Amino acid sequence: MKITKVQVIVHCPARNFVTVKVHSDQGVYGLGDATLNGRELAVSKYIEEYLTPSLIGKSPFDTEDIWQFFYKGVYWRRGAVNMTAIGAIDIALWDLKAKLLNVPLYQLLGGKSRNKILTYCHGHGTSFEDTIEKVLEKKEAGYEAIRVQSGIPGLDKIYGMNTKKGAKYEPAIAAETPFEEEWDTSKYLNHVPRLFEKVREAVGDEVHLLHDGHHRLTPIEAARLGKELEPFHLFWLEDLVAGEMQESFRLIRNHTTTPLALGEVFNTMFDCKTLLEEELIDHLRMAVSHGGGITPMKKIAALAELHHVKISPHGPSDISPIGIAAALHLVTAINNFGVHEYMGYEEQTLEAFPHAFKWEKGYLHLDETPGLGVDINMDLVDKYPYKKAFLPVNRLTDGTMFHW
Ligand code: KDG
Ligand code: MG
């Protein structure tokens, strides 16, 4: 059995995606998600130029050896572009292998540990009232877990807002250069506890509430926020400080019992080794596609399990249904699953990626379709060409460059 061809498809069905299609001499193909929001062409070129030639002729069953070949063989290890490229190939090979064996992928990862996958969505509004309305709408739609972000008085353009009714969360903006947002930490820190007091009162105790700090605080600011939110029993506080300094979480952890989540920008075990070994977080948010694929994520999940940390994958709409399915199969098989982010897709994206997974009443469900259970509609690829788009950048109100 041999890999005969690798196609890298860059397309924009409502937003940009990079899809990898690995063909075998059995006429069966596997699909991988190589989308890295705002840096799509870097990954597509990387796969075409540097990975594809080494894949041709290899057996698609040798997922471990192929992963090690690309990870160790590059010499310049780690990094988002490199690991997303390796991850896309790895996901496509696992899809292909499961299709060739005629089983859903989770059967190769340990079988079924659960029947359905808890999801959380976004309930975002401009004001207290608007946010409460959005959160209640999501509760009504069946979500048991809701991420809450809201506009902050005095700041016009900030993260996590979606003002258009019914529109999906989409931070990337089509342009030649990134859009600039603004930030003021003291306004934010004063606002968030008041927001959660009101939201908790409106939704009651049954719904899990989550919040994303998007890497913007210092450890001591994060500790204050965690402490002040304790009465409202959050499911988690995500990305409070930048993840580069894993040691920063020691201070936060010593000050608050609010559960902590981190990791959507991580791409290897080494980004979270201290966090896991010292039990400094409760949920690891790595996406399978950005974390190097199924092969390393299965090992990371095993290390996390040892340290009471749950795998709760990043699932924004800039991860394609292929990347989401890869995570769904992984978290179906492992024991230490927490929650999966899921916000749905625009109509064009759904048409571009026919898929077997289904969302119903707060949970995602897989069926018995062999492989990942996701396809790509090749007839639509030329209809939706790539459009350059960037994630925003962020400045303090005095113009200082800040974290986004
Ligand atoms: O591409 C970046 C987005 O996916 C990111 O802003 C989403 O923070 C995010 C989240 O938690 O989904
Ligand atoms: Mg996040």
Side-chain angles (χ1 to χ4, degrees), residues 18 29 90 121 139 214 226 234 260 276 289 364:
V18 181
Y29 57 82
D90 186 75
C121 63
K139 183 184 172 191
H214 230 246
L234 268 65
L260 303 171
L276 298 180
S289 54
L364 279 160

PDB file of all heavy atoms in Angstrom, residues 18 29 90 121 139 214 226 234 260 276 289 364:
ATOM      1  N   VAL A  18      -7.339  25.622   4.537  1.00  0.00           N
ATOM      2  CA  VAL A  18      -6.347  24.863   3.778  1.00  0.00           C
ATOM      3  C   VAL A  18      -6.622  23.380   4.063  1.00  0.00           C
ATOM      4  O   VAL A  18      -6.620  22.961   5.227  1.00  0.00           O
ATOM      5  CB  VAL A  18      -4.903  25.234   4.188  1.00  0.00           C
ATOM      6  CG1 VAL A  18      -3.891  24.439   3.357  1.00  0.00           C
ATOM      7  CG2 VAL A  18      -4.673  26.738   4.028  1.00  0.00           C
ATOM      8  N   TYR A  29      -8.730   8.096  -0.311  1.00  0.00           N
ATOM      9  CA  TYR A  29      -7.931   9.255   0.136  1.00  0.00           C
ATOM     10  C   TYR A  29      -8.270   9.599   1.583  1.00  0.00           C
ATOM     11  O   TYR A  29      -9.308   9.212   2.113  1.00  0.00           O
ATOM     12  CB  TYR A  29      -8.136  10.469  -0.781  1.00  0.00           C
ATOM     13  CG  TYR A  29      -9.574  10.930  -0.913  1.00  0.00           C
ATOM     14  CD1 TYR A  29     -10.147  11.755   0.058  1.00  0.00           C
ATOM     15  CD2 TYR A  29     -10.348  10.544  -1.997  1.00  0.00           C
ATOM     16  CE1 TYR A  29     -11.473  12.174  -0.062  1.00  0.00           C
ATOM     17  CE2 TYR A  29     -11.671  10.957  -2.118  1.00  0.00           C
ATOM     18  CZ  TYR A  29     -12.226  11.770  -1.144  1.00  0.00           C
ATOM     19  OH  TYR A  29     -13.530  12.185  -1.262  1.00  0.00           O
ATOM     20  N   ASP A  90      -0.705  14.206   9.283  1.00  0.00           N
ATOM     21  CA  ASP A  90      -0.988  13.132  10.247  1.00  0.00           C
ATOM     22  C   ASP A  90      -2.492  12.833  10.310  1.00  0.00           C
ATOM     23  O   ASP A  90      -2.905  11.666  10.287  1.00  0.00           O
ATOM     24  CB  ASP A  90      -0.469  13.551  11.632  1.00  0.00           C
ATOM     25  CG  ASP A  90      -0.600  12.436  12.647  1.00  0.00           C
ATOM     26  OD1 ASP A  90       0.197  11.490  12.587  1.00  0.00           O
ATOM     27  OD2 ASP A  90      -1.526  12.489  13.480  1.00  0.00           O
ATOM     28  N   CYS A 121     -20.693  27.006  23.475  1.00  0.00           N
ATOM     29  CA  CYS A 121     -20.814  27.982  22.383  1.00  0.00           C
ATOM     30  C   CYS A 121     -20.445  29.350  22.933  1.00  0.00           C
ATOM     31  O   CYS A 121     -20.042  29.484  24.082  1.00  0.00           O
ATOM     32  CB  CYS A 121     -22.242  27.991  21.878  1.00  0.00           C
ATOM     33  SG  CYS A 121     -23.364  28.534  23.169  1.00  0.00           S
ATOM     34  N   LYS A 139     -28.923  29.187  25.826  1.00  0.00           N
ATOM     35  CA  LYS A 139     -29.439  28.209  26.792  1.00  0.00           C
ATOM     36  C   LYS A 139     -30.706  27.577  26.216  1.00  0.00           C
ATOM     37  O   LYS A 139     -30.886  26.355  26.239  1.00  0.00           O
ATOM     38  CB  LYS A 139     -29.732  28.918  28.120  1.00  0.00           C
ATOM     39  CG  LYS A 139     -30.205  27.993  29.213  1.00  0.00           C
ATOM     40  CD  LYS A 139     -30.567  28.753  30.477  1.00  0.00           C
ATOM     41  CE  LYS A 139     -31.209  27.819  31.483  1.00  0.00           C
ATOM     42  NZ  LYS A 139     -31.808  28.517  32.604  1.00  0.00           N
ATOM     43  N   HIS A 214      -8.010  35.874  26.655  1.00  0.00           N
ATOM     44  CA  HIS A 214      -7.223  36.077  25.438  1.00  0.00           C
ATOM     45  C   HIS A 214      -5.821  36.615  25.686  1.00  0.00           C
ATOM     46  O   HIS A 214      -5.366  37.540  25.001  1.00  0.00           O
ATOM     47  CB  HIS A 214      -8.003  36.947  24.446  1.00  0.00           C
ATOM     48  CG  HIS A 214      -8.026  36.325  23.092  1.00  0.00           C
ATOM     49  ND1 HIS A 214      -7.415  36.876  22.003  1.00  0.00           N
ATOM     50  CD2 HIS A 214      -8.552  35.164  22.678  1.00  0.00           C
ATOM     51  CE1 HIS A 214      -7.575  36.083  20.964  1.00  0.00           C
ATOM     52  NE2 HIS A 214      -8.263  35.033  21.354  1.00  0.00           N
ATOM     53  N   GLY A 226      -9.499  35.780  38.793  1.00  0.00           N
ATOM     54  CA  GLY A 226      -9.920  34.437  39.220  1.00  0.00           C
ATOM     55  C   GLY A 226     -10.600  34.479  40.571  1.00  0.00           C
ATOM     56  O   GLY A 226     -11.661  33.876  40.781  1.00  0.00           O
ATOM     57  N   LEU A 234     -17.386  29.624  37.752  1.00  0.00           N
ATOM     58  CA  LEU A 234     -17.145  29.427  36.314  1.00  0.00           C
ATOM     59  C   LEU A 234     -16.655  28.004  36.041  1.00  0.00           C
ATOM     60  O   LEU A 234     -15.986  27.398  36.878  1.00  0.00           O
ATOM     61  CB  LEU A 234     -16.099  30.433  35.801  1.00  0.00           C
ATOM     62  CG  LEU A 234     -16.688  31.736  35.244  1.00  0.00           C
ATOM     63  CD1 LEU A 234     -17.392  32.530  36.327  1.00  0.00           C
ATOM     64  CD2 LEU A 234     -15.611  32.567  34.581  1.00  0.00           C
ATOM     65  N   LEU A 260      -8.758  26.707  35.452  1.00  0.00           N
ATOM     66  CA  LEU A 260      -7.993  27.429  34.421  1.00  0.00           C
ATOM     67  C   LEU A 260      -7.840  26.582  33.159  1.00  0.00           C
ATOM     68  O   LEU A 260      -7.592  25.373  33.241  1.00  0.00           O
ATOM     69  CB  LEU A 260      -6.605  27.774  34.965  1.00  0.00           C
ATOM     70  CG  LEU A 260      -6.590  28.600  36.264  1.00  0.00           C
ATOM     71  CD1 LEU A 260      -5.178  28.696  36.818  1.00  0.00           C
ATOM     72  CD2 LEU A 260      -7.164  30.004  36.027  1.00  0.00           C
ATOM     73  N   LEU A 276       1.323  20.706  32.900  1.00  0.00           N
ATOM     74  CA  LEU A 276       0.732  19.402  33.209  1.00  0.00           C
ATOM     75  C   LEU A 276       1.411  18.790  34.435  1.00  0.00           C
ATOM     76  O   LEU A 276       0.738  18.396  35.392  1.00  0.00           O
ATOM     77  CB  LEU A 276       0.849  18.455  32.009  1.00  0.00           C
ATOM     78  CG  LEU A 276       0.131  18.884  30.724  1.00  0.00           C
ATOM     79  CD1 LEU A 276       0.329  17.841  29.630  1.00  0.00           C
ATOM     80  CD2 LEU A 276      -1.352  19.102  30.946  1.00  0.00           C
ATOM     81  N   SER A 289      -5.336  19.850  15.049  1.00  0.00           N
ATOM     82  CA  SER A 289      -4.673  20.296  13.812  1.00  0.00           C
ATOM     83  C   SER A 289      -3.454  21.178  14.107  1.00  0.00           C
ATOM     84  O   SER A 289      -2.463  21.115  13.394  1.00  0.00           O
ATOM     85  CB  SER A 289      -5.666  21.036  12.913  1.00  0.00           C
ATOM     86  OG  SER A 289      -6.280  22.092  13.610  1.00  0.00           O
ATOM     87  N   LEU A 364     -22.184  17.113  20.540  1.00  0.00           N
ATOM     88  CA  LEU A 364     -21.839  16.647  19.198  1.00  0.00           C
ATOM     89  C   LEU A 364     -21.863  15.122  19.209  1.00  0.00           C
ATOM     90  O   LEU A 364     -21.482  14.486  20.205  1.00  0.00           O
ATOM     91  CB  LEU A 364     -20.461  17.157  18.789  1.00  0.00           C
ATOM     92  CG  LEU A 364     -20.450  18.603  18.262  1.00  0.00           C
ATOM     93  CD1 LEU A 364     -19.049  19.200  18.329  1.00  0.00           C
ATOM     94  CD2 LEU A 364     -20.999  18.705  16.840  1.00  0.00           C
TER      95      LEU A 364
END
